[in-house]
Amino acid sequence: MKKYLIVIYLILIVSFVTGCNSESPMDVFGFETPLDFTSPLSGGDTTIFDASSHAFSIPAPNLSAAAFEKHLEGDVEFEAIFVTAPAVVNPGLGPVYNNVSCINCHSRDGRGRPPDADEELVSLLLRLSLPNTEDGGDGKPPIPVPGYGTQLNNRSIVGTPAEGAVKIEYFEETITTEDGTRVYLRYPNYIITESYQPLPEEVQVSPRVAPVVFGLGLLEAIPEKTILSYADEMDINGDGISGKPNFVWDVVKKRYTLGRFGWKANQPTLLQQVASAYHDDMGITTSLFLLENSLGQPQHRMNNTKPEVSDEILEVVTFYVQTLAVPARRNVDDPQVRHGEQLFLQAQCASCHIPTLRTGTLLGVPSVSNQTIHPYTDLLLHDMGQDLADNRPDFHASGTEWRTPPLWGIGLVQTVNGHTNFLHDGRARDLMEAILWHGGEADKSRQITLEMTKTERDALIAFLKSL
Ligand code: HEC
Ligand code: HEC
């Protein structure tokens, strides 16, 4: 058990009870709050003031004592290492899988990265599918690849073959900004090696790194109509930015609902996201996905009639990712950061990375309900151009579309995870590279960034680092 968490929690409870949290940002920090300015309280009442390597792992400070207990139970399960059945503790791993625990991919509740040259895959995975020849697949779930399913499981339990391994090659290209500064972008190429049976030539491959898992209850609590109000599929306002909702299959409601989670907004709820993680990433069944992910493959053994992870565990793990606190912004009053914030708005970044949203009610999670938050996302899909494309449609997301990722906490990734690899596959090695990969609907933002002076680009990055 994380004892330090309990100590932090007690300190936060005291400050909450003594009223710190009820004061507006202006009261706390002593300055006026202009309209275009976001307060340091990125997660509303769930914000914590911690910029250490634990910044992503702290429970929301406004949890009740019972909710705090439940969160800690979820924390234990999030860290639980699964093993091959039969076993007394945490059996059910595999037979094919990508990793043995949630935390192994979402290290420190933070983000993954692509492997270094001679490492095997840890926190990056490849989604696979076959082309949908009927109508390009628009609105349909990805078609599984026979013998593989919809994900390459690069590990397996003893006595069965893994599905394959992955090698990544990078090609560098130089981009020169208006003032002559050179930036080197690396183009990844994914090669599946050691495939245990031939892969069809037309297989579609989508690499994805594990995203951060804090603040997610807040994103789940944003009313659907708020998200849809930002959608502008036909670009009627003529700003070159459309924004399109994904609608994906909800296995509990048994109908298509708004997608919010994952790099293509391909999961509708955190419950289903977590159940899919157990199923697809670890080979563990739950009541939502009762059949083993290896069904129909030679690795498949027998199917348990009972879920390998109970509904109680599924629920506390879901609650855990719903109630991790959002770290507060830092240096909000620094003139360079303020300048960068202006440039962020001028470069149209905020058209997709929406600074301020209001949450509605999330049933059973009052701590994330009715909060003003600063996630810097619209949770919508955008065409990001051919260079970032995976060419693998996912429900309504086309091969060039990605969901705007939230930017809160992005300045702490280096401290928490020890790297600065960004974008869906971690190809960007720092924040500037991430911006210069933007294309498609975000091409104008990229152009504006290229035309900035060095001082301006530095300010923009200083602002991102303050998030
Ligand atoms: C093999 C690595 C791996 C493992 C193990 C793993 N995840 Fe993930 N997780 C990912 C990747 C990659 C994504 C993005 C998936 C996508 O875009 O399709 C993701 C996405 C998520 C998201 C959505 C985040 C967002 O911002 O949309 C949540 C929540 C999550 N995982 C929780 C879990 C939990 C809980 C477990 C354990 C039961 C788990 N993950 C196990 C790699 C992993
Ligand atoms: C048209 C919508 C749009 C605009 C405009 C836009 N972005 Fe993005 N941004 C995205 C999407 C979508 C991604 C994810 C792309 C991917 O992973 O392939 C992204 C990714 C990022 C990332 C990496 C996030 C992560 O978690 O890896 C950063 C940083 C970022 N954007 C900053 C900016 C800045 C700064 C600007 C303005 C100069 C900007 N964006 C303009 C949609 C947009």
Side-chain angles (χ1 to χ4, degrees), residues 18 23 48 51 114 170 188 196 203 208 213 293 313 316 326 333 353 370 373 396 422 426-428 433 446:
T18 54
E23 289 178 316
I48 41 108
Y170 292 102
Y196 84 105
V203 66
R208 304 185 190 185
V213 290
N293 73 352
I313 291 180
V316 293
V326 180
D333 217 12
H353 297 284
N370 306 309
I373 59 170
H396 284 286
F422 299 111
R427 67 175 71 184
E433 284 188 21
R446 186 182 69 98

Side-chain angles (χ1 to χ4, degrees), residues 111 240-242 263 343-344 347-353 378 380-384 388 401-407 410 421-425 431 434-435 438-443 445-446 449 452 460 464:
R111 65 190 288 148
I241 294 175
S242 55
W263 286 100
L343 293 164
F344 185 82
Q348 272 197 2
C349 313
S351 306
C352 302
H353 297 284
D378 56 5
L380 293 171
L381 300 170
H382 296 275
D383 181 336
M384 295 299 284
L388 278 177
E401 286 172 329
W402 299 98
R403 180 202 71 165
T404 313
L407 299 180
I410 202 158
N421 290 128
F422 299 111
L423 298 174
H424 65 271
D425 55 3
L431 290 165
I435 298 171
H438 282 56
E441 291 171 39
D443 199 51
S445 294
R446 186 182 69 98
T449 310
M452 287 178 186
L460 180 62
L464 291 175

Side-chain angles (χ1 to χ4, degrees), residues 6 52 59 100 113 142 145 148 171 185-186 192 274 288 423 464:
I6 295 171
S52 77
V100 295
R113 60 170 178 81
V145 180
Y148 292 87
F171 303 96
L185 298 187
R186 52 170 194 177
I192 298 174
V274 173
L288 267 66
L423 298 174
L464 291 175

Side-chain angles (χ1 to χ4, degrees), residues 390-408:
D390 63 354
N391 299 311
R392 177 185 180 270
D394 208 334
F395 293 96
H396 284 286
S398 75
T400 56
E401 286 172 329
W402 299 98
R403 180 202 71 165
T404 313
L407 299 180
W408 52 16

Side-chain angles (χ1 to χ4, degrees), residues 25 249 295 365 422 443:
W249 188 249
L295 192 70
V365 199
F422 299 111
D443 199 51

